[in-house]
Amino acid sequence: MSSVDLRVNTERLRADIDALAQIGRQENQGIYRMAFSDADMAGRDWLRQRIEDSELTFFQDGAANLHARLNWDKNVPSVIAGSHMDTVPGAGHLDGALGVVCALEALRVLKESGVALQRPLEAVSFSDEEGRFGGMFGSQSVAGLVTPEYLHAACDLDGISLMEAMAQQGLDAHAALHAQRKPSSIYAYVELHIEQGPVLDRKGLSIGVVDAITGLFKWEIRLSGSANHAGTTPMDMRADAFQGLAEFAVQIDRVLAEYGSPHSTATIGRVELKPGAANVIPGEAVFSLDVRDTDSQILEVLADAFRRTLSAIARRHGLMFDFSVLSDIAPVQCDMSVVSAIDAAVNTLQLPATHLNSGAAHDAQMIAGIAPTGMIFVPSKEGRSHSAAEWTAWDDIEAGANTLLHTLRQLAT
Amino acid sequence: MSSVDLRVNTERLRADIDALAQIGRQENQGIYRMAFSDADMAGRDWLRQRIEDSELTFFQDGAANLHARLNWDKNVPSVIAGSHMDTVPGAGHLDGALGVVCALEALRVLKESGVALQRPLEAVSFSDEEGRFGGMFGSQSVAGLVTPEYLHAACDLDGISLMEAMAQQGLDAHAALHAQRKPSSIYAYVELHIEQGPVLDRKGLSIGVVDAITGLFKWEIRLSGSANHAGTTPMDMRADAFQGLAEFAVQIDRVLAEYGSPHSTATIGRVELKPGAANVIPGEAVFSLDVRDTDSQILEVLADAFRRTLSAIARRHGLMFDFSVLSDIAPVQCDMSVVSAIDAAVNTLQLPATHLNSGAAHDAQMIAGIAPTGMIFVPSKEGRSHSAAEWTAWDDIEAGANTLLHTLRQLAT
């Protein structure tokens, strides 16, 4: 068989996706496979069994990341494909799981095809990507970004600590400090993931080749005025915090047009007014601002512009303003050699594809710190994700799996 | 003593205001004298004792409204001065209480002065003005606006029914249906109240003569778009419900300028975004719109204009919109004869005064349905009310009390 004719086994792939989708599923409410829950452990047991059934080598590192290994040689840098199997509560069946199952399938096909490999291949499922305990625990451990302080502080929303949750499942959280990989041990990292946005679906394309993963800053902003009676305070004697917020919100498009790139986004997703009664002028508006771009300089310029805009509005409306930075994450550029390998795979398979950026965070963002990294997207129906309505057509899943397969083949030979 | 020289007894008035302010007060948190609570009952006991000490006739009607009566003759229409003694939680010491205590003091002075009265006088404290069970229960009962359905449905926020709360205090809620007064039994109604707005305080005036009580409509509006990931959804593929709300909010000033009067107000006091997370584009914005004016035709025109504005914005942003009417209260014009009597009192006393409108609702609004009605305002420091920071200078309280006294004297003789 010519390597060009390599294809995933669609039925086997589909059976695996369907089988994993049943683990942690709650009737009509989606999947609940949160990190280190019993359902997550059941998913892990299932994956280990599938790896062993495939006669690939099973390996679990200190962060409880699960590896399937083919042609393993610890002295040769490996090509890794991975994602995560943990979910948010009420999740769909593809976010994370798709990348793990397709990576496993790619290794199975490469093993069965007998293609000569120059490099070891690994299919990895990273722990707690979704953030029950903060997020990207597994990939941060591999990238050497997890500290003892983090291990002791990490807690879920019910106050259960990461250490406690792992111990309950027979795992030692401290071992995560030993999961770090040397950059020299990884040749490349590729992650197949659903887009979680509407671009491929609207454009009717099967494959997105990711150029960059956006960085972001997230602020909590407070505008303070005077809470007064809505009936007794004339319009010209008000310091209405919500009016200040509204004026800021309508200036977002202008700020992005003046200072952003075509990829820039800015979102106000959370608003809290105090006191928050229909007959009281808001004395305080606390709201989130989430700004993303793939260029860190543009993010800096946007931060300045938003600060200036807020300051001018506060002055004009007689309000005070302050903000705190909730997160500040640098953008990541994908590696040209990995992007080229994905482009070549798309060409070989003659798939309808485009280049785009990832607006969401992924394990790839962490691994990019230690290895050349790329990402492959498949469409999300109507951009939906983190919900039971998450959907990708089987044709597109097959296209994504074959793109991953050919990318791995090229990177490993 | 010439009737022009009549004055309230400042020390007695102040002692009464101070005494009542202690009832239901919680350390550093203001006053908790909600309708039919134990603290409210203690306030009622105190008032009854003060009425009996003054040798005025005590009367309690079916709605548990408390009356002090002077020169009572059921065949002659009476002049009533009143307000309420119940409070919101964490209230100041003047909202309502001032009008009751000053009415009592005016009757005491008129009794002591021996002024010849042609009409009976009543000082009234109405039940549940502030709305533990819906609001203006006492004055609505007197105006014949309370129905058996209301009596059975009325509940506080803890699910305690009005009937239950009254029964616990030995009162029968059904008796409220017998509290209705015939219009022919009331010659005039006057209410002294703190302004609860900033106008008199900013202008440095002691007295506001109220021309009208604003009507209002209160809507709950829902704008619906699509909740999508803030990172993965490009700006031009969004249907952001909050952006629609923000654009509406900044158009409020334009709508008021084009269609309102100088008295019109419009307030967005409550906003709820769904799902309400920093990294999710709001799929739904539910918010309140409170619009007030003293002219019912202007209110109608404003309702049309706001509906048109919302509809256009929804269309432009790809949103759906619907709204429900939470309240719709007609404005009330004060009676010219009562307003003239107040003006005459202000002239006699040579007090710095202005005419203005009431932006808040009052018992007077209900009584105006059955009797000629007027209101007297005194300044609220910085417009503050419904808070422990509520304050009016003693000089202004004295000015208000004497204005009420002279108004009652003129109306009753």
Side-chain angles (χ1 to χ4, degrees):
Chain A
M1 172 165 72
S2 143
S3 68
V4 171
D5 296 327
L6 274 181
R7 292 291 184 279
V8 297
N9 180 331
T10 310
E11 277 171 39
R12 181 170 60 189
L13 176 65
R14 189 163 168 166
D16 277 356
I17 290 173
D18 285 343
L20 183 51
Q22 294 312 311
I23 300 174
R25 175 176 296 282
Q26 291 182 16
E27 196 68 44
N28 296 324
Q29 293 179 62
I31 298 167
Y32 291 74
R33 214 161 53 219
M34 288 77 81
F36 304 119
S37 64
D38 290 346
D40 183 35
M41 299 314 289
R44 291 162 172 272
D45 287 346
W46 174 87
L47 181 66
R48 178 178 189 148
Q49 193 60 54
R50 294 304 287 148
I51 291 169
E52 289 174 352
D53 290 349
S54 312
E55 296 179 352
L56 298 164
T57 309
F58 174 81
F59 171 69
Q60 177 166 331
D61 69 14
N65 299 317
L66 308 184
H67 300 60
R69 287 174 164 173
L70 174 61
N71 196 32
W72 182 248
D73 179 343
K74 70 177 173 60
N75 297 314
V76 183
S78 66
V79 175
I80 305 180
S83 196
H84 60 95
M85 295 201 307
D86 69 307
T87 70
V88 294
H93 61 307
L94 296 172
D95 180 354
L98 180 72
V100 173
V101 172
C102 290
L104 172 65
E105 174 60 18
L107 264 61
R108 286 188 296 221
V109 171
L110 288 169
K111 179 179 165 69
E112 290 161 2
S113 69
V115 173
L117 299 169
Q118 292 187 19
R119 298 183 183 86
L121 277 157
E122 298 181 88
V124 181
S125 176
F126 290 111
S127 300
D128 192 24
E129 194 269 350
E130 292 290 7
R132 177 179 170 196
F133 299 101
M136 308 216 203
F137 168 63
S139 51
Q140 290 199 69
S141 298
V142 168
L145 299 172
V146 162
T147 60
E149 290 72 25
Y150 175 87
L151 292 174
H152 283 91
C155 252
D156 72 6
L157 292 175
D158 297 323
I160 300 169
S161 72
L162 172 65
M163 303 226 296
E164 202 178 331
M166 289 185 72
Q168 269 182 13
Q169 305 293 3
L171 297 163
D172 174 14
H174 284 105
L177 298 169
H178 303 297
Q180 180 171 6
R181 289 276 288 259
K182 288 203 183 96
S184 61
S185 77
I186 307 176
Y187 182 77
Y189 174 78
V190 191
E191 183 164 353
L192 170 67
H193 205 281
I194 55 170
E195 181 197 339
Q196 302 181 274
V199 177
L200 295 175
D201 185 46
R202 295 238 183 139
K203 294 188 174 172
L205 301 171
S206 295
I207 300 292
V209 183
V210 176
D211 288 320
I213 305 173
T214 59
L216 66 92
F217 60 85
K218 201 188 296 180
W219 291 349
E220 181 167 277
I221 302 166
R222 179 190 318 270
L223 285 167
S224 308
S226 295
N228 283 308
H229 191 297
T232 60
T233 313
M235 296 304 285
D236 60 357
M237 292 188 184
R238 298 178 171 209
D240 182 332
F242 179 64
Q243 282 294 329
L245 161 55
E247 190 173 328
F248 176 69
V250 299
Q251 298 218 20
I252 282 180
D253 281 341
R254 176 192 63 77
V255 170
L256 293 184
E258 287 180 13
Y259 300 100
S261 78
H263 311 305
S264 305
T265 61
T267 307
I268 294 172
R270 207 172 59 73
V271 168
E272 194 189 348
L273 302 187
K274 291 179 189 172
N279 63 346
V280 184
I281 299 159
E284 200 173 292
V286 179
F287 59 100
S288 61
L289 177 69
D290 172 302
V291 179
R292 304 189 187 213
D293 198 87
T294 54
D295 183 321
S296 55
Q297 282 190 308
I298 287 179
L299 282 172
E300 271 177 48
V301 171
L302 284 172
D304 282 345
F306 280 123
R307 213 180 291 118
R308 221 166 25 240
T309 303
L310 276 164
S311 168
I313 287 171
R315 223 168 26 240
R316 218 155 48 232
H317 285 260
L319 306 170
M320 308 278 287
F321 110 88
D322 61 82
F323 71 99
S324 52
V325 177
L326 300 183
S327 14
D328 194 357
I329 299 172
V332 161
Q333 305 304 316
C334 289
D335 186 83
M336 277 314 298
S337 68
V338 181
V339 171
S340 299
I342 300 169
D343 278 336
V346 165
N347 282 338
T348 300
L349 297 161
Q350 296 187 294
L351 293 169
T354 187
H355 279 235
L356 46 58
N357 297 310
S358 171
H362 295 290
D363 288 314
Q365 216 155 341
M366 298 302 148
I367 304 301
I370 56 166
T373 291
M375 288 195 78
I376 302 163
F377 277 172
V378 290
S380 292
K381 186 74 183 164
E382 289 173 9
R384 286 189 202 282
S385 180
H386 284 192
S387 106
E390 187 176 276
W391 184 253
T392 303
W394 285 111
D395 283 356
D396 292 327
I397 288 178
E398 201 181 329
N402 282 316
T403 302
L404 180 66
L405 170 63
H406 280 260
T407 303
L408 294 178
R409 188 201 55 75
Q410 184 178 332
L411 290 168
T413 55
Chain B
M1 170 165 76
S2 144
S3 67
V4 170
D5 295 329
L6 275 179
R7 291 291 184 280
V8 298
N9 180 331
T10 310
E11 277 172 39
R12 181 170 60 188
L13 176 66
R14 191 162 167 168
D16 277 356
I17 291 173
D18 285 344
L20 183 52
Q22 294 312 314
I23 300 175
R25 175 177 294 282
Q26 290 181 17
E27 197 68 44
N28 296 325
Q29 294 179 63
I31 297 168
Y32 291 74
R33 213 160 52 217
M34 290 77 81
F36 304 119
S37 64
D38 290 345
D40 183 34
M41 298 315 289
R44 289 162 173 273
D45 287 345
W46 173 87
L47 182 65
R48 179 179 188 147
Q49 192 60 55
R50 294 303 287 148
I51 292 170
E52 289 174 351
D53 289 349
S54 311
E55 296 179 352
L56 298 163
T57 309
F58 175 81
F59 171 69
Q60 177 166 330
D61 69 15
N65 299 316
L66 307 184
H67 301 58
R69 287 174 165 173
L70 173 63
N71 194 31
W72 181 247
D73 179 343
K74 72 180 172 54
N75 296 315
V76 182
S78 66
V79 175
I80 305 179
S83 196
H84 59 94
M85 294 200 308
D86 70 306
T87 71
V88 295
H93 61 306
L94 295 174
D95 181 353
L98 181 71
V100 173
V101 172
C102 289
L104 172 65
E105 174 60 17
L107 264 62
R108 285 188 297 221
V109 171
L110 288 169
K111 179 182 165 68
E112 292 161 1
S113 68
V115 172
L117 298 170
Q118 292 186 19
R119 298 182 185 88
L121 278 157
E122 298 181 89
V124 181
S125 176
F126 291 111
S127 300
D128 193 26
E129 194 270 351
E130 292 289 7
R132 177 178 170 196
F133 298 100
M136 308 216 205
F137 169 64
S139 51
Q140 290 199 68
S141 299
V142 167
L145 300 171
V146 162
T147 62
E149 290 73 24
Y150 175 87
L151 292 175
H152 283 91
C155 253
D156 72 6
L157 292 174
D158 297 324
I160 299 169
S161 71
L162 172 65
M163 304 225 296
E164 204 179 327
M166 288 185 73
Q168 269 183 13
Q169 305 293 2
L171 297 164
D172 174 14
H174 284 104
L177 298 169
H178 302 297
Q180 181 172 5
R181 288 277 289 258
K182 289 201 182 99
S184 62
S185 76
I186 307 176
Y187 182 77
Y189 174 78
V190 190
E191 183 163 353
L192 170 68
H193 206 281
I194 55 169
E195 181 198 339
Q196 301 181 274
V199 177
L200 295 175
D201 185 46
R202 296 236 182 142
K203 294 188 174 171
L205 300 172
S206 294
I207 300 292
V209 182
V210 176
D211 287 321
I213 305 173
T214 58
L216 66 92
F217 60 85
K218 201 188 295 179
W219 292 349
E220 179 167 278
I221 303 167
R222 179 190 318 270
L223 286 167
S224 307
S226 295
N228 283 307
H229 192 296
T232 60
T233 313
M235 295 305 285
D236 60 357
M237 293 188 183
R238 298 178 171 208
D240 183 332
F242 180 64
Q243 283 294 328
L245 161 55
E247 191 173 326
F248 175 69
V250 298
Q251 298 218 19
I252 282 180
D253 280 341
R254 176 192 62 78
V255 171
L256 293 184
E258 286 181 14
Y259 300 101
S261 77
H263 310 304
S264 305
T265 61
T267 307
I268 294 171
R270 207 173 59 74
V271 168
E272 194 189 351
L273 302 185
K274 293 180 187 169
N279 63 346
V280 183
I281 299 159
E284 201 174 291
V286 180
F287 60 99
S288 62
L289 177 67
D290 171 303
V291 179
R292 304 189 188 213
D293 199 87
T294 54
D295 183 320
S296 56
Q297 281 190 310
I298 286 178
L299 283 171
E300 271 178 47
V301 170
L302 284 171
D304 281 346
F306 281 123
R307 211 182 291 117
R308 222 164 28 238
T309 303
L310 276 164
S311 168
I313 287 170
R315 225 168 26 241
R316 216 154 52 231
H317 285 260
L319 306 171
M320 308 278 287
F321 109 87
D322 62 81
F323 70 98
S324 52
V325 177
L326 299 183
S327 14
D328 194 357
I329 299 173
V332 161
Q333 306 304 317
C334 288
D335 186 84
M336 277 314 298
S337 66
V338 181
V339 171
S340 298
I342 300 170
D343 278 336
V346 165
N347 282 338
T348 299
L349 297 162
Q350 295 187 292
L351 294 168
T354 188
H355 278 235
L356 42 60
N357 296 310
S358 170
H362 294 289
D363 289 312
Q365 216 155 344
M366 298 303 148
I367 304 301
I370 56 164
T373 292
M375 288 194 78
I376 302 161
F377 276 172
V378 291
S380 292
K381 187 76 185 163
E382 286 172 12
R384 285 188 203 282
S385 180
H386 284 193
S387 107
E390 189 176 273
W391 183 253
T392 303
W394 285 112
D395 282 353
D396 292 327
I397 287 178
E398 201 181 329
N402 281 318
T403 302
L404 179 66
L405 170 63
H406 279 260
T407 303
L408 294 179
R409 188 200 55 74
Q410 183 178 332
L411 290 168
T413 55

